[in-house]
Amino acid sequence: MIGRQYFTRQAATLLKFAQSTTSPQLAAVLTVKAADLKSQLDESTRPDLSPLAPDVEPESSPLAAGY
């Protein structure tokens, strides 16, 4: 898994390039890509809030029941 520092460095590099270019279109694309990296980072650090499955006991096999 890619670490948090990797995403942070990549986003910072994209923003530096966006600031250094004279093309507004390129700056906009680079800024959007940096925002995408930031959102991936935010998603990967969020806790999973999905509901947990109920505890289910495994069914006994016919061999365990003595059949």
Side-chain angles (χ1 to χ4, degrees):
M1 185 169 159
I2 298 174
R4 181 180 185 87
Q5 290 178 347
Y6 174 81
F7 283 112
T8 303
R9 282 194 318 264
Q10 295 301 313
T13 301
L14 289 172
L15 291 174
K16 283 181 187 179
F17 284 140
Q19 290 174 343
S20 68
T21 187
T22 57
S23 169
Q25 293 88 3
L26 180 58
V29 169
L30 293 172
T31 303
V32 168
K33 293 292 185 185
D36 289 342
L37 285 173
K38 170 83 168 80
S39 69
Q40 286 180 11
L41 179 63
D42 291 343
E43 288 174 7
S44 68
T45 57
R46 280 190 206 146
D48 184 13
L49 299 178
S50 60
L52 299 175
D55 290 339
V56 178
E57 293 184 24
E59 295 180 25
S60 61
S61 68
L63 295 176
Y67 295 109

